[in-house]
Amino acid sequence: MLDAAEQLFREGGGDALTVEGIVERAGTSTGAFYARFGSRRGLFVAMHERFLSAFEVSLREAAAGALACGSLSEALRVFVDGVVSTVRQHRDTLHFHVIQNAHEPDMRSQGSQLTQGMFLLIEKIVESHSRELGAVDAGKVDMLGRVLYGLTLELMMFDDDEVTGRAITHEEMVDRFVQMMLGYLMT
């Protein structure tokens, strides 16, 4: 049923997530839906948890790749590319959960935990290359996380040319963001 719900969501957004539509797409019954989820809200909770799990796996994979890199520049490029790719891949789902479920304390808390996990991964990546930087200012690393989070929100909310009126390629975005991160860390 979660697969059916996600398919319907991709095809028609949040309005397409009806019990009837999910049951029909999944080839199951209304009783099975309510036994599994309890309510439409229960469906949203299950979708949210599934999404967060997939997003976290993608971030951890990007961080693992970054931690295997020989230079900070390369490590940041691998991680930022992973974050940008993940946000773009899950853009609609991310938007739905952030907007639709922002008022739900449990879901908001889970989202915050994922975000804080992303900050910890950035910190770990930067610290693993501290020989290039010397002492690492925790405030700078925190700010990098905040700016990267802002980039994820931009990617989630807007098309590539909406914010500035100028489209930017994936590669250019990653490259410029990494240059900015390095410049900030080196000052």
Side-chain angles (χ1 to χ4, degrees), residues 37-52:
F37 302 114
S39 65
R40 192 166 182 246
R41 183 188 180 285
L43 168 70
F44 291 163
V45 169
M47 287 177 69
H48 187 256
E49 289 171 355
R50 187 180 200 191
F51 164 72
L52 288 178

Side-chain angles (χ1 to χ4, degrees), residues 77-78 80-88 151 155 160 167-177:
R77 185 168 316 286
V78 167
V80 171
D81 181 69
V83 171
V84 170
S85 295
T86 299
V87 171
R88 285 193 163 146
L151 177 61
L155 291 168
D160 289 337
I168 185 168
T169 67
H170 175 95
E171 294 77 17
E172 183 181 13
M173 181 176 287
V174 170
D175 184 58
R176 289 179 184 243
F177 199 81

Side-chain angles (χ1 to χ4, degrees), residues 67-130:
L67 289 167
C69 292
S71 71
L72 179 59
S73 174
E74 184 183 355
L76 290 174
R77 185 168 316 286
V78 167
F79 188 68
V80 171
D81 181 69
V83 171
V84 170
S85 295
T86 299
V87 171
R88 285 193 163 146
Q89 177 185 355
H90 299 286
R91 178 185 179 195
D92 293 335
T93 305
L94 182 60
H95 184 268
F96 174 74
H97 288 298
V98 168
I99 302 302
Q100 179 73 26
N101 301 318
H103 64 285
E104 295 282 347
D106 291 343
M107 291 186 208
R108 189 177 179 127
S109 175
Q110 290 172 328
S112 292
Q113 288 173 3
L114 179 67
T115 302
Q116 290 165 9
M118 182 178 75
F119 278 51
L120 291 173
L121 292 172
I122 294 168
E123 184 178 327
K124 189 173 183 179
I125 292 163
V126 170
E127 286 177 356
S128 73
H129 294 279
S130 61

